[in-house]
Amino acid sequence: ILFSSFLGLGLCVAIIGPTFQDLATNVNRNISSLSFIFVGRAFGYLSGSVIGGVLVDVMNHFLLLGVSMLATTVGLYLVPFCKTAVLLTIMMSVFGTSIGILDTGGNVLILALWGDKGAPHLQALHFCFALGAFLAPLLAKLALGPTVSAENHTESDFHHPALNRSSDADSGVLFGVPNDMTLLWAYAVIGTYMFVVSVILFALFLKNSSKQEKERASAQTSRRAKYHNALLCLLFMFFFFYVGAEVTYGSYVFSFATTHVGMKESEAAGLNSIFWGTFAACRGLAIFFATCLRPGTMIVLSNIGSLTSSLFLVLFDKNPVCLWIATSVYGASMAATFPSGVSWIEQYTTIHGKSAAFFVIGAALGEMAIPAMIGIFQGKYPDLPVVLYASLGASVATGVLFPVMYKLATSPLNRQRKENRKSEDQKALLSSSGLNEYEEENEEEDAEKWNEMDFEVIEMNDTMRHSVIETSGNSLTESTSSPVNTGNSHVKHLPETRTKGTNI
């Protein structure tokens, strides 16, 4: 059910990119002036992350996720009917709040179930998000059909109002049926899917099936790193740049391809799907890689790939072949970063609801600030590939932040290992010296025993010698007193000699 929820989450986040021009037309705005809807959605996502971080520790998990999914459903149904930019921004805020709760609650529940061994499960969870993001452009433009042709769109469309303005937007009506029914169907299909998943979550809540998960979470031993707060702050910045770049490229690559490169709408939708498709495919592969590679290794590989591909995008921004290849590599490189980051920090310090909410807030701020800034700068400098510059800058930032985080997390462990080695060496020395003393004591005891045995042998020899002398002396006196020995006398002395010999 969690995987199904994150599939819907990916659909919700990625649907805005291919329908951005249609939303601008629906509210009578141009693309650059409508970029603040990303601010509204990210502000709601930020609020939802805070709310979810607090509630996930005190509230039933399935109830919390079910409510957030239901609120997402309402937002998806209402977005196509918005006829003013302000109302659309408000709806995006409500929409962002619900997906923020869903994101925080899902990650915390995965960590509560599997702890630091949940790397493959986290990769699978976020793979479902990427799969939904891959399906969203296909659903919006290819499956349901294109809307306004983008063949005549130019770079000036970032400046000037959108074409085909609706009469409802001009008259100031807040809600109205959109002129393009494809926009309505795209959001309605995703909203229906989210509603079905929310019903299943409520059914699980009614069965009280989350008690075992809570008991497992409470039974886990919590650990806290020495630089816990510093690591969370650095991870906050890391996710700020990473998620900001991911959402910016996924949301603007469609408009960038049609206006800056001159692609057709179907080609631009395919390019957008290539980004999310490689993103989803590599997250699927990361499920298996997570079983044999450490999260830190996967983050390093992701940073190298994103830095290289974004550099090629900047250098060859109008080359279609390079754009397709570099977009694929960039999507693949961005795939495993977020779940690997969560798994990596869980190795050094336990992540609870508030801690997860903190770095998810960083992701929400990145989603809010970076796309809005890119929309403004793209409107001011339409001839420059501002989207690609943002991708390159974010790749450099994440490439610098992670080594600092790694050093900060492992330095106390290295000291502890050195201290453990010293204590082990000391114990080994003490044990070896104790063995030597024990051997010396044993040797002294053995020597004393041998001396005692020698004295006993000597005493025994002396006793035997005296007894033999006495016996021989007695026999001599008796022989002298009776000069004629008879057989009887000789027989009589034998028992006495044997008796004395036996006494000896």
Side-chain angles (χ1 to χ4, degrees):
I1 300 302
L2 277 176
F3 295 161
S4 301
S5 302
F6 268 62
L7 178 67
L9 182 63
L11 289 168
C12 296
V13 171
I15 193 63
I16 296 178
T19 60
F20 192 26
Q21 291 176 345
D22 304 321
L23 291 174
T25 303
N26 202 37
V27 298
N28 193 20
R29 290 294 184 98
N30 56 44
I31 293 175
S32 61
S33 64
L34 195 63
S35 61
F36 56 81
I37 67 170
F38 293 106
V39 179
R41 186 183 68 173
F43 181 77
Y45 186 85
L46 175 67
S47 304
S49 301
V50 176
I51 295 171
V54 174
L55 294 180
V56 75
D57 291 333
V58 298
M59 190 175 175
N60 184 283
H61 291 152
F62 289 112
L63 177 61
L64 179 63
L65 297 180
V67 170
S68 66
M69 294 281 288
L70 186 61
T72 306
T73 300
V74 175
L76 286 168
Y77 281 139
L78 293 180
V79 162
F81 292 94
C82 295
K83 290 296 181 179
T84 62
V86 175
L87 182 61
L88 180 61
T89 304
I90 294 173
M91 293 308 304
M92 285 292 177
S93 299
V94 176
F95 176 70
T97 303
S98 59
I99 64 176
I101 296 174
L102 176 61
D103 194 7
T104 304
N107 283 288
V108 172
L109 184 55
I110 287 288
L111 293 176
L113 289 172
W114 287 285
D116 57 353
K117 297 180 180 179
H121 306 285
L122 271 172
Q123 296 288 349
L125 185 72
H126 290 273
F127 162 72
C128 294
F129 169 82
L131 182 61
F134 167 70
L135 295 175
L138 299 177
L139 177 67
K141 294 298 181 183
L142 299 181
L144 298 177
T147 55
V148 180
S149 177
E151 295 180 5
N152 297 325
H153 286 179
T154 61
E155 294 176 357
S156 61
D157 286 341
F158 279 99
H159 256 318
H160 301 294
L163 301 176
N164 299 327
R165 301 176 181 178
S166 80
S167 59
D168 291 334
D170 292 334
S171 61
V173 177
L174 296 179
F175 288 100
V177 179
N179 295 331
D180 185 6
M181 296 304 294
T182 304
L183 179 67
L184 174 61
W185 281 111
Y187 281 84
V189 168
I190 300 174
T192 303
Y193 172 81
M194 300 291 280
F195 176 74
V196 172
V197 178
S198 67
V199 170
I200 299 174
L201 287 169
F202 285 126
L204 292 175
F205 164 69
L206 294 176
K207 292 182 179 180
N208 294 322
S209 60
S210 65
K211 290 182 179 180
Q212 294 181 354
E213 283 79 4
K214 286 187 176 181
E215 292 176 358
R216 291 180 184 177
S218 61
Q220 285 184 348
T221 57
S222 61
R223 57 187 176 278
R224 185 180 178 88
K226 183 178 181 181
Y227 303 106
H228 176 83
N229 294 330
L231 283 172
L232 287 180
C233 291
L234 289 174
L235 194 65
F236 176 96
M237 296 300 299
F238 183 85
F239 285 149
F240 174 86
F241 288 108
Y242 163 74
V243 176
E246 174 194 325
V247 174
T248 298
Y249 197 84
S251 300
Y252 281 105
V253 66
F254 182 87
S255 302
F256 170 80
T258 55
T259 58
H260 188 79
V261 185
M263 286 185 174
K264 296 180 181 180
E265 189 176 87
S266 58
E267 294 176 348
L271 183 67
N272 200 351
S273 293
I274 279 292
F275 172 75
W276 291 114
T278 54
F279 188 86
C282 286
R283 274 202 172 166
L285 293 175
I287 299 172
F288 304 99
F289 291 151
T291 60
C292 57
L293 292 177
R294 292 181 177 274
T297 305
M298 299 181 69
I299 293 175
V300 171
L301 294 176
S302 299
N303 287 341
I304 294 173
S306 62
L307 183 61
T308 304
S309 58
S310 60
L311 181 61
F312 273 91
L313 283 171
V314 171
L315 295 177
F316 306 99
D317 58 307
K318 290 194 175 182
N319 188 335
V321 176
C322 182
L323 187 62
W324 282 91
I325 296 175
T327 298
S328 303
V329 176
Y330 188 65
S333 302
M334 299 282 281
T337 304
F338 192 91
S340 296
V342 178
S343 301
W344 179 83
I345 193 67
E346 180 69 17
Q347 292 178 337
Y348 301 99
T349 184
T350 303
I351 299 299
H352 296 291
K354 294 179 181 179
S355 300
F358 183 73
F359 61 72
V360 171
I361 287 171
L365 288 176
E367 181 185 358
M368 177 174 62
I370 295 179
M373 292 172 60
I374 296 307
I376 294 172
F377 284 121
Q378 189 68 71
K380 290 183 178 180
Y381 307 100
D383 297 331
L384 296 177
V386 181
V387 177
L388 307 184
Y389 293 156
S391 301
L392 180 60
S395 298
V396 172
T398 54
V400 172
L401 282 172
F402 183 70
V404 179
M405 292 164 53
Y406 182 80
K407 183 66 177 177
L408 199 63
T410 56
S411 58
L413 294 177
N414 292 331
R415 291 179 183 176
Q416 186 175 1
R417 288 173 184 172
K418 290 180 180 178
E419 291 177 356
N420 291 336
R421 287 178 183 176
K422 289 181 179 179
S423 62
E424 288 176 359
D425 293 339
Q426 290 176 357
K427 289 179 180 179
L429 291 173
L430 291 173
S431 62
S432 62
S433 62
L435 287 173
N436 292 332
E437 292 177 356
Y438 178 73
E439 290 176 356
E440 290 177 357
E441 290 177 356
N442 287 339
E443 289 178 356
E444 291 178 357
E445 291 178 357
D446 292 340
E448 291 178 358
K449 288 181 180 179
W450 281 108
N451 291 332
E452 291 177 356
M453 291 176 66
D454 291 339
F455 285 123
E456 289 177 356
V457 171
I458 291 169
E459 290 177 356
M460 183 180 290
N461 292 334
D462 291 338
T463 306
M464 291 177 66
R465 186 177 59 186
H466 290 302
S467 62
V468 171
I469 293 171
E470 291 176 357
T471 305
S472 60
N474 293 330
S475 61
L476 288 173
T477 53
E478 290 177 356
S479 61
T480 52
S481 60
S482 57
V484 178
N485 292 329
T486 60
N488 294 332
S489 65
H490 178 72
V491 174
K492 288 181 181 179
H493 288 291
L494 286 174
E496 292 181 1
T497 305
R498 289 179 182 175
T499 305
K500 289 182 180 178
T502 54
N503 290 333
I504 291 172

